[in-house]
Amino acid sequence: MTASVNLASGILFEDDWYAVQKIDERTFAIGEPLYHQQNWSYLFVGETGSLLFDTGSFCRDITGVVDRRARGPLTTVPSHMHFDHLGNVTKFDNIVVADLPMLRACVQDGLLTPTEEMFLGAYEGNDAPSFAVSSWIAIEDVIDLGDRQFQILHTPGHSTDSISLFSRDENRLFAADFIYPGDLYGQVPGASLPDYLEHAERIRELIDDGTEIFCAHGDIDEAGEHSAPLLGRSDVEALRSGLEQIRSDAASWPDEPQWRIEISPRLSLIISPEAVADWR
Ligand SMILES: [Zn+2]
């Protein structure tokens, strides 16, 4: 029975856990509204194969939901190494990873095992998985599904290894943890506010007012219902200007362990003394 949360119209529970939203005929958001992190992974189906962006949490097996929709060879890409995005990763066999030095450094004997500082699994008692990287993809390169292309963007700030996927033709950005409605984590190990600001500026320049930004964490909407978290360019601008304000106020932040700063009605940023150290 999965009726303890409300899903928006057209979204159905599957396998008693996953909320599956058909964004269009070939794009699926796979949510976990029963998990307190409320993760959303994304599946893209193309002419020559399918692409899964993030593999869900460690709570359940996501492969059934994916297999029922994917067509052709499936490629899996993790948005970053935090534990709540890497569940199930070892169940997939074509894992493409962004070619970033901190990720290359995690490979030993042919397997990538994220460090605890990159994985943060101790928060919920998860051990870091080890998996073989099928191929490394350079930042700004494109994953081509024949009739659909997804460009890999490096979007650090929340973590050093964060990437987002950009579909120029569809004018959609899949931003993972770079931006999502709610509390953004700028205080976790590996977070960098200078990186966050720099890449918020870049993303703002890259996209336009019509770009749909799908995110990796959500919360209920005004109607109390769950659906794939969706933001726009004005939210990136709010993040950018919020970070700029944090930078100009950095010297006057008190020495509290962390602060939650509201940067717009939809976005807050959690920061810490370490996070603003570079700006003091
Ligand atoms: Zn994260």
Side-chain angles (χ1 to χ4, degrees):
M1 186 66 192
T2 43
S4 58
V5 299
N6 294 319
L7 305 183
S9 166
I11 305 178
L12 295 175
F13 269 117
E14 219 168 284
D15 297 344
D16 268 348
W17 181 259
Y18 292 103
V20 183
Q21 178 176 344
K22 192 191 266 192
I23 294 171
D24 61 41
E25 288 303 313
R26 305 178 305 158
T27 308
F28 302 92
I30 304 170
E32 300 180 64
L34 297 168
Y35 177 42
H36 72 100
Q37 306 257 18
Q38 303 182 17
N39 285 57
W40 289 81
S41 307
Y42 294 88
L43 176 66
F44 312 102
V45 179
E47 206 169 54
T48 58
S50 300
L51 169 63
L52 178 64
F53 189 42
D54 279 342
T55 49
S57 73
F58 281 84
C59 303
R60 294 291 180 97
D61 186 343
I62 202 171
T63 55
V65 171
V66 173
D67 290 347
R68 286 190 280 275
R69 292 170 177 81
R71 287 200 305 269
L74 176 69
T75 300
T76 297
V77 178
S79 66
H80 61 307
M81 293 293 132
H82 284 165
F83 66 95
D84 50 323
H85 299 256
L86 269 197
N88 298 291
V89 71
T90 56
K91 300 186 177 95
F92 295 95
D93 54 14
N94 183 26
I95 304 168
V96 173
V97 174
D99 196 354
L100 293 166
M102 76 294 281
L103 292 171
R104 288 264 189 181
C106 294
V107 176
Q108 207 173 11
D109 299 329
L111 295 177
L112 189 160
T113 310
T115 62
E116 177 57 23
E117 184 171 297
M118 295 171 80
F119 180 64
L120 304 178
Y123 281 114
E124 295 188 8
N126 298 123
D127 292 327
S130 296
F131 55 93
V133 176
S134 306
S135 62
W136 297 89
I137 184 164
I139 297 301
E140 303 207 343
D141 270 7
V142 160
I143 294 180
D144 191 353
L145 302 181
D147 54 347
R148 309 178 76 179
Q149 286 79 32
F150 295 89
Q151 188 180 29
I152 307 279
L153 304 178
H154 189 206
T155 47
H158 167 74
S159 77
T160 54
D161 59 326
S162 283
I163 59 161
S164 301
L165 296 184
F166 183 47
S167 166
R168 204 175 290 272
D169 290 345
E170 298 170 22
N171 204 9
R172 286 179 180 149
L173 178 73
F174 295 84
D177 279 7
F178 184 73
I179 189 167
Y180 53 78
D183 290 346
L184 300 170
Y185 284 10
Q187 89 290 14
V188 289
S192 160
L193 297 189
D195 280 354
Y196 230 145
L197 177 56
E198 179 188 338
H199 290 272
E201 282 168 354
R202 284 194 192 184
I203 295 293
R204 184 190 58 163
E205 294 312 308
L206 180 73
I207 63 178
D208 61 41
D209 289 339
T211 307
E212 293 177 304
I213 303 176
F214 288 95
C215 320
H217 295 282
D219 203 349
I220 50 173
D221 59 20
E222 309 81 61
E225 296 173 335
H226 290 270
S227 58
L230 179 60
L231 296 174
R233 188 171 188 255
S234 62
D235 298 295
V236 176
E237 169 53 20
L239 174 61
R240 189 206 62 78
S241 66
L243 284 159
E244 215 164 57
Q245 191 63 46
I246 291 167
R247 180 176 63 183
S248 59
D249 295 345
S252 57
W253 291 108
D255 250 349
E256 303 289 331
Q258 60 181 38
W259 317 284
R260 179 179 177 277
I261 299 150
E262 208 172 289
I263 53 180
S264 83
R266 297 207 274 195
L267 303 174
S268 297
L269 192 60
I270 300 182
I271 64 169
S272 63
E274 297 76 44
V276 292
D278 288 348
W279 282 344
R280 287 210 199 249

